[in-house]
Amino acid sequence: MAADNNRPIRFGIIGCAQIARKVSRAINLSPKSTLYAIASRSTEKAKQFAIKNNLSDTVKVYGTYDALLDDPMVEAVYMPLPTSLHLEWAVLAAKKKKHLILEKPTALIVDELDRIIEECEINGVQFMDGSMWYHHPRTAKVKELISDSKVFGQIRYIHSSSSFIGPPDFLETNLRVKPDLDAHGALGDAGWYCIGAILWAMNFQLPTTVTALPTLSRNSAGVILTCAASFNWQKEQTTATFYCSFLAHETMDLAISGSNGTIHIEDLIIPYEEASAPFRFTLGAKFVDLHIGWNVKPEEVNVGTELPQEVLMVSEFARLVKGINDLGWKPDGKWPAISRGTQLVMDAINKSIGLGFEPVYM
């Protein structure tokens, strides 16, 4: 029987975290997917999530995660659970043949992520983490520019930051500051983006060394609230730094300096607007005579998109799932590889912190 190319992929959501509101909207906005079921630790909590987000009455509501995973109609799962629960439930989802979008950070350590990826590979299901910015067309446009060595030159320095100050009770009650739920704190939540952006700029080549910087702050439970690190690529002679924090004003920056040009993005993780995203670049800049100014000004480019980046993420994932389920494709190994590289570097930063901010060779 021929595959129905127009049938949307049926998604389930396991966990009613705040980010699940955004992704449930994205699933329903994507022409390639539909929200089929949600699950929480209680039926009442799942029902309240459905009401709060105006979900259709046709969406199934489950009071346990197992019940959703046992539903044969669910083809793919989005899982925004606390990091400490990822290993158990992601492995079970893969065993149940559910394709998986796993919220970041993907695991507590890379060994756990390897177990999740291995189970996905064994069961032939697609894995992807929930980093949305990779899927915005701006990302491809900037990659095209920095990849042209004749125009941009060789990448010499990269800096990224991700920071915010949460609501008044954030530092006391949010799961991201609880060691038994999300032990990586700001490093896992905000730093994941910074690490990913830097590796993306370097075509996901791991650095030679990773060194945590003494700009480190923890809460009384030992969870990281502020963190910074530097990376070095010895052969390429490239350096990168990042800063992440729950204690600083909102930033989502990425700056890339090449031998012939520079690029700046101020809203990498969440664009200022859904319909377009800007970046600024300068090529061939020099000081004018007497060093009283520059010969060029940065040029701003706005990259439009018909769908928000989270919808594009869901759509790409659904496209891959459709190919695997209906056309016999193999899962795309690019996405688990990206997650694994990010996890490896995050682990190295934690190791460097434990060594008193000494370099860790990758």
Side-chain angles (χ1 to χ4, degrees):
M1 182 179 294
D4 181 0
N5 292 326
N6 295 319
R7 182 185 64 77
I9 296 299
R10 296 181 295 269
F11 269 81
I13 294 179
I14 291 184
C16 295
Q18 185 73 11
I19 189 64
R21 300 186 64 198
K22 183 174 184 176
V23 176
S24 66
R25 172 178 178 261
I27 291 169
N28 283 329
L29 284 176
S30 171
K32 299 181 179 181
S33 62
T34 186
L35 183 56
Y36 179 83
I38 58 172
S40 187
R41 290 168 295 174
S42 71
T43 303
E44 182 58 31
K45 186 174 181 181
K47 286 181 178 178
Q48 288 302 314
F49 180 88
I51 293 169
K52 186 175 183 179
N53 293 282
N54 298 313
L55 300 184
S56 168
D57 292 339
T58 62
V59 175
K60 289 185 175 293
V61 174
Y62 290 113
T64 68
Y65 304 152
D66 287 293
L68 186 147
L69 293 178
D70 285 335
D71 188 330
M73 296 299 287
V74 173
E75 299 171 278
V77 168
Y78 169 64
M79 188 177 292
L81 296 176
T83 311
S84 61
L85 301 180
H86 283 188
L87 178 62
E88 176 186 358
W89 291 105
V91 166
L92 184 57
K95 287 182 175 180
K96 298 284 186 176
K97 309 291 186 182
K98 310 300 185 186
H99 303 274
L100 178 64
I101 298 179
L102 184 62
E103 195 48 67
K104 53 79 196 165
T106 52
L108 294 176
I109 56 174
V110 75
D111 288 350
E112 291 188 359
L113 178 57
D114 284 344
R115 180 73 184 89
I116 294 169
I117 293 173
E118 178 186 32
E119 202 63 49
C120 289
E121 291 174 347
I122 290 171
N123 289 280
V125 295
Q126 183 65 51
F127 175 92
M128 182 184 287
D129 77 46
S131 301
M132 301 168 185
W133 68 271
Y134 289 125
H135 304 271
H136 198 289
R138 172 177 63 182
T139 303
K141 186 69 175 178
V142 172
K143 174 60 83 172
E144 179 183 345
L145 183 56
I146 66 174
S147 297
D148 191 338
S149 60
K150 292 182 179 179
V151 174
F152 195 74
Q154 300 299 310
I155 293 177
R156 297 304 185 199
Y157 176 66
I158 309 163
H159 176 73
S160 183
S161 70
S162 177
S163 60
F164 65 90
I165 296 178
D169 61 345
F170 179 89
L171 295 178
E172 299 297 329
T173 63
N174 193 273
L175 65 86
R176 286 169 282 185
V177 297
K178 302 293 185 181
D180 58 330
L181 296 175
D182 269 301
H184 293 303
L187 176 58
D189 183 56
W192 182 272
Y193 293 118
C194 300
I195 298 166
I198 291 168
L199 292 179
W200 167 84
M202 293 299 292
N203 294 317
F204 300 105
Q205 179 182 348
L206 292 176
T208 309
T209 59
V210 170
T211 308
L213 302 178
T215 307
L216 180 70
S217 174
R218 298 182 187 268
N219 65 9
S220 59
V223 176
I224 292 173
L225 303 180
T226 296
C227 181
S230 66
F231 311 153
N232 175 257
W233 286 261
Q234 187 172 10
K235 180 180 178 182
E236 293 77 10
Q237 297 184 323
T238 302
T239 299
T241 58
F242 83 83
Y243 172 86
C244 64
S245 181
F246 291 155
L247 304 174
H249 185 260
E250 195 84 41
T251 61
M252 297 182 174
D253 297 343
L254 176 64
I256 306 171
S257 298
S259 51
N260 297 336
T262 56
I263 284 180
H264 290 88
I265 301 174
E266 296 177 343
D267 58 347
L268 177 72
I269 305 164
I270 303 173
Y272 291 130
E273 300 176 355
E274 281 194 331
S276 67
F279 69 91
R280 290 179 291 115
F281 75 93
T282 307
L283 299 174
K286 297 182 183 300
F287 298 131
V288 299
D289 190 31
L290 300 183
H291 289 198
I292 58 174
W294 295 52
N295 66 330
V296 294
K297 291 183 179 180
E299 180 177 342
E300 182 165 301
V301 177
N302 278 283
V303 182
T305 178
E306 294 183 2
L307 294 171
Q309 61 183 10
E310 61 270 20
V311 180
L312 295 174
M313 176 187 74
V314 170
S315 294
E316 172 60 11
F317 188 79
R319 183 187 71 85
L320 295 172
V321 171
K322 174 72 73 173
I324 295 166
N325 287 357
D326 296 349
L327 303 174
W329 294 0
K330 292 183 178 180
D332 188 344
K334 175 179 76 171
W335 297 108
I338 288 172
S339 301
R340 189 176 191 275
T342 308
Q343 185 81 45
L344 278 170
V345 173
M346 189 171 72
D347 287 5
I349 293 167
N350 274 318
K351 183 177 180 180
S352 177
I353 292 171
L355 293 172
F357 309 104
E358 290 295 315
V360 172
Y361 285 83
M362 301 295 292

